[in-house]
Amino acid sequence: MGWTANRPARLVNQGAALALPKGLIVSVQAPAGSPMRDPDVIAAMAEASLRNGAVGVRLESPEHIGAVRQRCPKALIIGLWKRTFPGSSVYITPGWQEVCAVWSAGADVVAIDATERPRPDGEPLAALVERARLDLGAPLMADVDSLANGLEAARLGCQWVGTTLYGYTEATAAAQPPAWDLLGPLRQQLPAGVGLICEGGIASAEAASQALRFGADAVVVGTAITGVDLQVQRYSRELQKPVTN
């Protein structure tokens, strides 16, 4: 399966767990229709991030994962594939096909939605995690929205847990990321060796540092660094408001 046949051991294997590098992971993504959503552009932004201190990158789609892997062969890549299906609100690497594609493209870790919401094909989360571990040997990052779902993902065998979906699920729609009130309890209750990642709503270097103080091992930052489309829109809207003295 492509890259997997010669996959280097870039991560330190600690029994059933994987050591999560401490520091900044940059989410290099671009929305559909954006000129930034080009494999060469994504790969260039990923390389720039890694050259300037990022310990890894988080990438969406097999195409972008493959482009970055070719350009940055030693990079730590957390990969995912956003796909939507009728009857389910799960869209981050929702099923087995997506897990296999992300892994084959060259990701070191596969990020999956690990909330309790029904998956598009009806496959239970536990079965998907087991297949990824046994059939592929793929380490998993669980994107969760709550303490209960984070602990359950770790129990099932996900090596890393991220607060990615806090504020983005039906159950947490009233919450506003960053997940400050979730990091502490997760840090205290996750098993030793399970990495904790703060992702979502980190808009400054100060906030990233605060996430580490609250217990995160690593911090994922996306829009504030690589979200050209959204950042320009935000500035433009602000500048179009009436000027008041």
Side-chain angles (χ1 to χ4, degrees), residues 98-232:
E98 291 76 30
V99 170
C100 289
V102 166
W103 183 244
S104 181
D108 296 292
V109 178
V110 180
I112 63 172
D113 180 311
T115 65
E116 59 189 354
R117 299 179 294 179
R119 310 189 82 83
D121 58 3
E123 183 176 26
L125 175 63
L128 183 63
V129 172
E130 184 175 21
R131 290 182 75 184
R133 292 174 56 230
L134 297 181
D135 294 358
L136 300 178
L140 299 177
M141 173 180 172
D143 290 349
V144 305
D145 61 341
S146 68
L147 173 62
N149 286 333
L151 297 179
E152 175 64 7
R155 187 189 70 79
L156 292 175
C158 294
Q159 288 89 337
W160 299 350
V161 171
T163 61
T164 316
L165 292 171
Y166 176 87
Y168 296 99
T169 62
E170 298 85 346
T172 63
Q176 182 69 34
W180 299 137
D181 59 345
L182 187 54
L183 287 173
L186 279 171
R187 178 77 290 157
Q188 293 170 7
Q189 298 183 49
L190 281 173
V194 174
L196 176 59
I197 299 173
C198 180
E199 179 174 6
I202 302 297
S204 68
E206 291 74 20
S209 179
Q210 185 172 348
L212 295 184
R213 292 196 297 272
F214 282 173
D217 296 303
V219 182
V220 172
V221 180
T223 299
I225 296 176
T226 59
V228 174
D229 302 87
L230 293 176
Q231 291 286 30
V232 173

